[in-house]
C-alpha cells in the first residue's frame, strides 16, 4: 500500500476530533474522503502530515512509519499536501511560486517540470508572470496543486479541490487529477461534492463526526443510497 492510516485519534485541546480513523490508498489510486462540513476531513489530512500536535495512531507511507516525524520530513519523503486555504504567495508570480516548491527527482515518483505543469494547467501557462494575488480562486487552486507537484510527490492529499470553483474550472480540475493519476501519482481527495468524487475516484470512505462509517468502491457506494443519504445529503 502507498498509504495506510491506522487507529488515528486527534485532539484540538480538550476536544476529541478523530476517533480511530483507518483507511488505505493503493499505488496509483484515487481515493475520496467524503463528508459534510466539519466531519473531520481536513483534520484527517492535517494529522497525516503532522500538523496536528495531539494525535496518536500509525501512519505508514511507502512502507515507512512516519507517525512521529515532523511535517517537513514527511513531505521530504514524497507526501504532498494541498490545503483548502491554498496559501499561495500573492506577491510572487506564477513561475516564482512554482520555483518555491521545486525539489529534486524522486525514485518511484513522476518528475514535474514547469513546462509539463503548464500542459497540465494551460491557464497557468498563459499567465506565467502574473502575481498570485491577481488570479481567480480557481487559478489559485491550480497554482497550489502545481506548486505541490513541483516537489515530485508520489502521493498528494487534495483538500476540497472543487469548492467554490466555476463548472468550467471544475471540469479542468477533473482532467488534471485524472492526468496526475495516469502519470502515477496516488491521490486522496477530501470532498463534499459526490458528483466530482464519482468522476475521479476508484474508492471512497465516508467520515462522519470524526469516524469512518463507510469504505468501498464508488459502485458500492452508489448501490447504498441509504448510506449516501444518511451521511452526505445536506
Amino acid at each position: 500500500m502507498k498509504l495506510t492510516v491506522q487507529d488515528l485519534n486527534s485532539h484540538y485541546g480538550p476536544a476529541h476530533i478523530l476517533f480511530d480513523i483507518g483507511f488505505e490508498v493503493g499505488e496509483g489510486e484515487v481515493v475520496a474522503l467524503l463528508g459534510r462540513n466539519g466531519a473531520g476531513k481536513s483534520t484527517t489530512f492535517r494529522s497525516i502530515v503532522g500538523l496536528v500536535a495531539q494525535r496518536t495512531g500509525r501512519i505508514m507511507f511507502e512502507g515507512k512509519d512516519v507517525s512521529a516525524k515532523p511535517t517537513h520530513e514527511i513531505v521530504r519523503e514524497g507526501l504532498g499536501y494541498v490545503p483548502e486555504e491554498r496559501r499561495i504567495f500573492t506577491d510572487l508570480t506564477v513561475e516564482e511560486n512554482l520555483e518555491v516548491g521545486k525539489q529534486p527527482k524522486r525514485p518511484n515518483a513522476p518528475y514535474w517540470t514547469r513546462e509539463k505543469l503548464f500542459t497540465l494547467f494551460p491557464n497557468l501557462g498563459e499567465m506565467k508572470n502574473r502575481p498570485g494575488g491577481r488570479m481567480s480562486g480557481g487559478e489559485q487552486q491550480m497554482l497550489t496543486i502545481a506548486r505541490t507537484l513541483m516537489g515530485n510527490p508520489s502521493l498528494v492529499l487534495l483538500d476540497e479541490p472543487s469548492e467554490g470553483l466555476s463548472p468550467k474550472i471544475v471540469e479542468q480540475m477533473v482532467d488534471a487529477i485524472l492526468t496526475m493519476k495516469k502519470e502515477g501519482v496516488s491521490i486522496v481527495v477530501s470532498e463534499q461534492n459526490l458528483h466530482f468524487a464519482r468522476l475521479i475516484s476508484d474508492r471512497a470512505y465516508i467520515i462522519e463526526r470524526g469516524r469512518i462509517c463507510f469504505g468501498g468502491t464508488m459502485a458500492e457506494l452508489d448501490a447504498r443510497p441509504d448510506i449516501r443519504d444518511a451521511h452526505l445529503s445536506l
Side-chain angles (χ1 to χ4, degrees):
M1 281 290 161
K2 179 67 73 173
L3 176 70
T4 303
V5 178
Q6 298 174 324
D7 301 322
L8 180 61
N9 285 264
S10 294
H11 297 73
Y12 290 135
H16 194 165
I17 307 298
L18 300 182
F19 300 83
D20 299 322
I21 293 292
F23 63 90
E24 295 180 327
V25 184
E27 192 81 37
E29 192 176 32
V30 179
V31 172
L33 183 63
L34 300 170
R36 299 184 180 100
N37 253 339
K41 304 186 300 297
S42 294
T43 301
T44 299
F45 280 8
R46 287 174 55 82
S47 298
I48 290 170
V49 295
L51 291 172
V52 177
Q54 294 175 268
R55 74 190 192 285
T56 59
R58 195 172 190 216
I59 299 160
M60 300 291 295
F61 177 59
E62 294 193 326
K64 298 178 183 177
D65 190 336
V66 298
S67 310
K69 290 192 174 186
T71 301
H72 69 276
E73 289 189 18
I74 295 172
V75 171
R76 197 178 292 153
E77 293 286 350
L79 201 161
Y81 170 49
V82 181
E84 185 181 359
E85 304 87 3
R86 295 168 187 151
R87 296 180 188 169
I88 61 164
F89 295 101
T90 54
D91 293 336
L92 299 185
T93 66
V94 167
E95 287 200 313
E96 288 168 341
N97 266 279
L98 294 180
E99 195 64 25
V100 168
K102 190 174 182 180
Q103 294 288 330
K105 285 184 179 182
R106 300 179 190 278
N108 306 318
Y111 178 62
W112 298 90
T113 62
R114 282 180 293 183
E115 292 70 29
K116 195 171 172 182
L117 288 168
F118 291 150
T119 301
L120 183 68
F121 295 114
N123 299 43
L124 299 182
E126 296 168 2
M127 53 182 74
K128 300 176 186 177
N129 298 312
R130 184 175 300 180
R134 290 178 46 216
M135 301 169 70
S136 71
E139 291 160 353
Q140 289 181 349
Q141 182 70 288
M142 292 176 181
L143 179 56
T144 310
I145 295 172
R147 186 182 63 192
T148 301
L149 291 178
M150 282 292 284
N152 304 311
S154 61
L155 182 142
V156 175
L157 306 175
L158 291 178
D159 197 358
E160 302 276 7
S162 74
E163 186 175 32
L165 304 187
S166 69
K168 183 178 179 181
I169 297 292
V170 168
E171 282 181 25
Q172 294 175 14
M173 197 65 68
V174 168
D175 291 342
I177 290 172
L178 293 177
T179 300
M180 289 162 60
K181 176 185 177 182
K182 200 177 297 181
E183 288 283 338
V185 181
S186 302
I187 303 166
V188 190
V189 179
S190 85
E191 265 298 332
Q192 298 181 65
N193 185 333
L194 181 58
H195 174 66
F196 180 83
R198 194 181 280 119
L199 293 174
I200 59 171
S201 306
D202 301 298
R203 294 186 299 112
Y205 293 89
I206 295 177
I207 184 170
E208 174 82 12
R209 296 180 182 176
R211 291 179 169 87
I212 298 291
C213 54
F214 171 85
T217 65
M218 296 307 294
E220 288 168 340
L221 178 56
D222 285 336
R224 294 294 307 272
D226 55 326
I227 290 177
R228 201 172 63 231
D229 293 346
H231 301 292
L232 299 177
S233 296
L234 297 178

